[in-house]
Amino acid sequence: MTTPVWLTQNYMEEVLKLHHKDAALKIQNITIKPALGKGENYGGVLTKVKVAYSWGHEGSITTEKSLLVKSCYEEDKIALEKMQPYDIFNREMTIYDQVLPKLNQLLQEVNDTDKLFATALYTDYKRQALVFEDLSVQGYVMADRIERLDKDHMLLILRKLAKMHATSAILNQREKGCLQGYDRGFFNKHTDTYKTYFVDTFMACARYLQKQPELECYARKIFTMEPYYMEIGLRCFQPIEGQVNVLAHGDVWTNNVMFKYDEETKRPLDVILIDFQYSFWGSPSLDLHHCFNTSLREPLRRQGQEELTQFYHHWFTTTLRKLKYTDNIIPSLKAFNIQMEQKRFFALHSALIIQAVMLNQDATDADFNALMGLDERARNFKNRLYNNNPVIQENLKFLLPYFDHKGLLEVDQ
């Protein structure tokens, strides 16, 4: 990962001047370096900035800050071309600028002091960049994406996610459909540019299964699904009329949340939701399917989803009632479980395709172009996701019969 050429001391000085409303602010020292390594993030460029500066009356205040700058793939024309139809950078900037502050205000109406999101200090629409507080200074860190998350971690995520979902439904109700224009999730009516990522990775899974005698029958079904896959995903992402739809996070997994831990017990105390590039208006169940099937440890994924769904449902419906939601009937637990079943294709997608990328430990060619490409380099990268990862191989033995029994490997679903 490299740092943007425009991200300089002068740039950060202007950002901080605007933030503090102090034209005389001066930076004394600054360090700029990549925040993540190769294969840790595919959604943009993350840069860590440590800065010391003076401001206030005659520079009387000295402050040190650690900040994160998130920006687009400026130098990579292929990545920009693939991402452009999804409008992920403008969407995330707008969400941080215009939506998340309103969701926080709604929680304050019912005296809920939970902090759901990181604070954006500056939104740069020209460069498609966001400057955030560095949550690590407050003790927040990412969990291990390879180890994945246990029940304590997941309960924290689900409580915050439920409150985000509920407040977004309220905001959309009060502001007459203001969030329904967020319609560019992973599957959407505007573009299928990510087809080369999703479908080709699915085919790599099938090629691996062909070589496993006990799983070869599933390979045949997956190959048959190839021309229908994006259409099935698009139907899955359509909002359900007459039910509570929300602004879904769209990409909830281990690396898109940050935890604070008890120093002695090492148990998680709090979580902050980050990264809203793929947020969309639709069923809240899609976020649960994605989170469970990318980030839950085994055997909790196999045995604990019903209990976790009930926990989420409690916080979701409680928050809706507190804020007097009236647009649709607030779902009972049974009705919400039916909705989970209606949207379970996204569980298959998240488990068989997305998790294979997220649990990859081989950094060879682990970049956005390999995800999106059709050349030999891309094909080899996708093959390695299944051929070289025993964890994914073991998961497939359980997941494929489960999804097959649910009818999710059928063209007609």
Side-chain angles (χ1 to χ4, degrees), residues 197-227:
Y197 168 15
F198 298 155
V199 177
D200 283 25
T201 306
F202 202 34
M203 294 304 104
C205 177
R207 289 192 294 272
Y208 165 76
L209 297 174
Q210 273 186 314
K211 297 178 286 186
Q212 314 303 316
E214 74 276 20
L215 300 175
E216 194 273 337
C217 59
Y218 303 115
R220 294 195 298 272
K221 291 194 171 190
I222 290 174
F223 283 129
T224 301
M225 288 180 70
E226 180 179 10

Side-chain angles (χ1 to χ4, degrees), residues 136-175:
S136 66
V137 175
Q138 302 173 36
Y140 288 89
V141 296
M142 285 184 181
D144 189 320
R145 68 182 174 93
I146 304 301
E147 291 294 323
R148 286 157 287 162
L149 305 175
D150 64 13
K151 182 177 178 180
D152 288 342
H153 287 80
M154 192 57 62
L155 292 177
L156 289 173
I157 292 174
L158 291 173
R159 191 184 81 234
K160 297 286 184 84
L161 197 60
K163 292 181 180 183
M164 174 191 166
H165 288 166
T167 52
S168 72
I170 297 295
L171 179 63
N172 192 70
Q173 173 181 284
R174 293 186 184 181
E175 298 194 8

Side-chain angles (χ1 to χ4, degrees), residues 276-300:
F276 297 89
Q277 291 180 322
Y278 294 99
S279 294
F280 66 94
W281 183 254
S283 169
S285 66
L286 293 169
D287 270 348
L288 272 63
H289 283 313
H290 189 66
C291 193
F292 291 164
N293 287 283
T294 59
S295 306
L296 263 183
R297 287 181 188 170
E298 309 295 349
L300 189 58

Side-chain angles (χ1 to χ4, degrees), residues 46 68 70 92 96 116-118 132 135 142 249 251-252 254-258 272-277:
L46 284 174
L68 281 176
K70 184 174 185 179
E92 185 172 37
Y96 269 104
L116 308 186
F117 321 111
F132 297 99
L135 292 170
M142 285 184 181
H249 180 285
D251 194 14
V252 189
T254 310
N255 277 20
N256 282 341
V257 295
M258 295 185 73
I272 296 291
L273 306 174
I274 60 175
D275 198 333
F276 297 89
Q277 291 180 322

Side-chain angles (χ1 to χ4, degrees), residues 71-85:
S71 54
C72 66
Y73 290 106
E74 286 184 308
E75 306 302 319
D76 192 329
K77 292 182 180 180
I78 295 175
L80 280 176
E81 180 183 338
K82 292 289 188 179
M83 286 183 165
Q84 191 277 332

Side-chain angles (χ1 to χ4, degrees), residues 46-235:
L46 284 174
T47 308
K48 181 166 283 194
V49 178
K50 290 187 176 181
V51 60
Y53 57 95
S54 59
W55 61 292
H57 180 64
E58 296 183 350
S60 58
I61 304 172
T62 300
T63 302
E64 293 185 357
K65 275 190 183 294
S66 183
L67 302 169
L68 281 176
V69 180
K70 184 174 185 179
S71 54
C72 66
Y73 290 106
E74 286 184 308
E75 306 302 319
D76 192 329
K77 292 182 180 180
I78 295 175
L80 280 176
E81 180 183 338
K82 292 289 188 179
M83 286 183 165
Q84 191 277 332
Y86 288 85
D87 199 31
I88 63 173
F89 299 108
N90 286 320
R91 173 170 39 186
E92 185 172 37
M93 288 187 293
T94 303
I95 287 173
Y96 269 104
D97 209 18
Q98 301 176 21
V99 177
L100 301 188
K102 293 180 179 179
L103 303 190
N104 285 329
Q105 291 169 8
L106 286 168
L107 282 183
Q108 291 167 12
E109 284 185 19
V110 290
N111 299 314
D112 190 326
T113 59
D114 250 353
K115 179 175 180 175
L116 308 186
F117 321 111
T119 301
L121 274 66
Y122 182 65
T123 307
D124 186 340
Y125 287 93
K126 179 181 178 181
R127 296 195 182 276
Q128 293 190 320
L130 282 158
V131 181
F132 297 99
E133 58 180 335
D134 184 354
L135 292 170
S136 66
V137 175
Q138 302 173 36
Y140 288 89
V141 296
M142 285 184 181
D144 189 320
R145 68 182 174 93
I146 304 301
E147 291 294 323
R148 286 157 287 162
L149 305 175
D150 64 13
K151 182 177 178 180
D152 288 342
H153 287 80
M154 192 57 62
L155 292 177
L156 289 173
I157 292 174
L158 291 173
R159 191 184 81 234
K160 297 286 184 84
L161 197 60
K163 292 181 180 183
M164 174 191 166
H165 288 166
T167 52
S168 72
I170 297 295
L171 179 63
N172 192 70
Q173 173 181 284
R174 293 186 184 181
E175 298 194 8
K176 311 301 180 186
C178 65
L179 299 180
Q180 290 169 216
Y182 290 97
D183 59 353
R184 293 177 187 258
F186 283 140
F187 297 91
N188 67 75
K189 64 183 179 182
H190 302 283
T191 181
D192 64 356
T193 303
Y194 282 8
K195 179 178 180 179
T196 52
Y197 168 15
F198 298 155
V199 177
D200 283 25
T201 306
F202 202 34
M203 294 304 104
C205 177
R207 289 192 294 272
Y208 165 76
L209 297 174
Q210 273 186 314
K211 297 178 286 186
Q212 314 303 316
E214 74 276 20
L215 300 175
E216 194 273 337
C217 59
Y218 303 115
R220 294 195 298 272
K221 291 194 171 190
I222 290 174
F223 283 129
T224 301
M225 288 180 70
E226 180 179 10
Y228 306 95
Y229 192 86
M230 296 301 290
E231 175 60 31
I232 295 170
L234 178 60
R235 292 200 305 269

